[in-house]
Amino acid sequence: MYVYGRNVLKEIINAKYPVKNIYFTDSKKTDKTLNDLIELAKKHNYSFSFAPDKVLQRMVNISKHQGVVIDIGKEFKYAEEDILDNLKENATIIILDQLQDPHNFGAIIRSAVASNSDLIVIPKDNSVEITPTVIKVSVGLAFKIPILKVTNLSRFIDVIKKRGFWVYGADMSYNIYYEMDLTGNVALVMGNEGNGIREKVKSRCDALISIPMANNVDSLNVSVSAGILLFEIFKQKSR
């Protein structure tokens, strides 16, 4: 899988994420930022080479690659389920139930990292996965937070509840999100863009929470809703 962009590379290096190779532009019209990235890759012993801009463009089908293309291998490196053993106290997990849009996924990853969340969980089937688009929209932050794929979300929720997590599903309900106690070990479930949370997954939640809206607006984009709820969790835990 080829990904691109300077911020993406910076996050890869900061996360010590293993890659097959980094391709930098061979153009002589480079700037200090790019030269600093080359030196950073060299310092951390990453394999890299230089290629013409047209070659980089063919790799990622875009001209705005910023002079950086990274071959991260066949597939993104997802977390293992034993990641649960390493979560800190008062952890925040966000569970995405069959999300489909890579732009929404990338935006949620960005909000999750910015709100100090600890883990993102997606189902193995019928769900968007990590793609170059997701990585680009996340500004490389997909490399900064563990992302776990599980076979069965309902079973996963049962597992984390036994570990002391309270699980909240984002759905139309009488529980206004900012009136709820969202401290401690918390998992937030966000549903599919069109259908919301599946009934079987919803039934595993301890409570459903909603975002009140004015002017007869009945719903928000899932990435916007996730951002609002994640930052409320962050705010309550920061008190």
Side-chain angles (χ1 to χ4, degrees):
M1 184 191 302
Y2 292 112
V3 298
Y4 62 93
R6 299 181 183 189
N7 282 332
V8 171
L9 178 57
K10 195 179 299 181
E11 294 299 341
I12 283 173
I13 295 174
N14 287 340
K16 299 179 180 177
Y17 188 91
V19 304
K20 291 184 72 175
N21 195 53
I22 303 165
Y23 298 90
F24 293 107
T25 177
D26 66 359
S27 171
K28 294 181 180 179
K29 296 179 181 179
T30 57
D31 54 28
K32 184 179 184 301
T33 303
L34 188 60
N35 290 330
D36 286 347
L37 274 177
I38 294 169
E39 290 304 312
L40 193 62
K42 189 184 298 182
K43 177 182 176 182
H44 290 273
N45 298 313
Y46 277 93
S47 172
F48 66 89
S49 54
F50 297 91
D53 283 335
K54 288 184 178 180
V55 173
L56 300 185
Q57 184 173 339
R58 281 200 298 271
M59 286 178 175
V60 292
N61 296 315
I62 192 168
S63 60
K64 297 179 180 179
H65 45 64
Q66 300 179 323
V68 180
V69 172
I70 311 105
D71 181 356
I72 67 169
K74 188 176 180 181
E75 188 184 47
F76 179 81
K77 185 180 177 183
Y78 292 93
E80 301 292 335
E81 197 151 338
D82 61 6
I83 186 71
L84 294 175
D85 297 328
N86 301 316
L87 293 181
K88 67 178 188 290
E89 282 297 315
N90 300 319
T92 300
I93 297 174
I94 179 162
I95 300 169
L96 305 177
D97 185 16
Q98 296 192 342
L99 204 71
Q100 300 298 311
D101 189 327
H103 292 87
N104 283 335
F105 192 14
I108 290 172
I109 290 170
R110 198 168 180 179
S111 292
V113 174
S115 62
N116 203 33
S117 301
D118 300 278
L119 177 65
I120 297 171
V121 179
I122 62 173
K124 286 183 177 178
D125 299 319
N126 301 314
S127 174
V128 64
E129 298 186 343
I130 294 295
T131 65
T133 298
V134 172
I135 290 170
K136 185 60 180 175
V137 174
S138 79
V139 201
L141 295 176
F143 298 102
K144 200 163 189 170
I145 184 170
I147 300 172
L148 175 66
K149 282 201 293 189
V150 299
T151 303
N152 188 305
L153 282 186
S154 297
R155 192 177 303 134
F156 176 80
I157 290 173
D158 289 341
V159 168
I160 62 174
K161 286 171 77 169
K162 289 176 182 176
R163 288 173 173 258
F165 278 82
W166 283 85
V167 182
Y168 298 93
D171 194 69
M172 297 301 294
S173 75
Y174 294 106
N175 298 316
I176 306 302
Y177 75 98
Y178 51 75
E179 295 176 349
M180 303 292 287
D181 181 359
L182 301 175
T183 57
N185 289 321
V186 171
L188 173 66
V189 184
M190 303 299 302
N192 170 275
E193 290 91 343
N195 301 316
I197 304 171
R198 287 173 293 164
E199 287 301 322
K200 191 173 182 180
V201 175
K202 192 185 295 185
S203 68
R204 295 299 207 283
C205 296
D206 294 300
L208 301 177
I209 55 177
S210 65
I211 301 169
M213 286 172 274
N215 298 315
N216 296 317
V217 176
D218 59 3
S219 65
L220 297 172
N221 175 281
V222 64
S223 65
V224 174
S225 297
I228 291 169
L229 297 173
L230 286 171
F231 278 98
E232 176 64 21
I233 293 169
F234 177 56
K235 182 181 81 172
Q236 290 192 22
K237 290 185 178 188
S238 300
R239 288 173 181 166

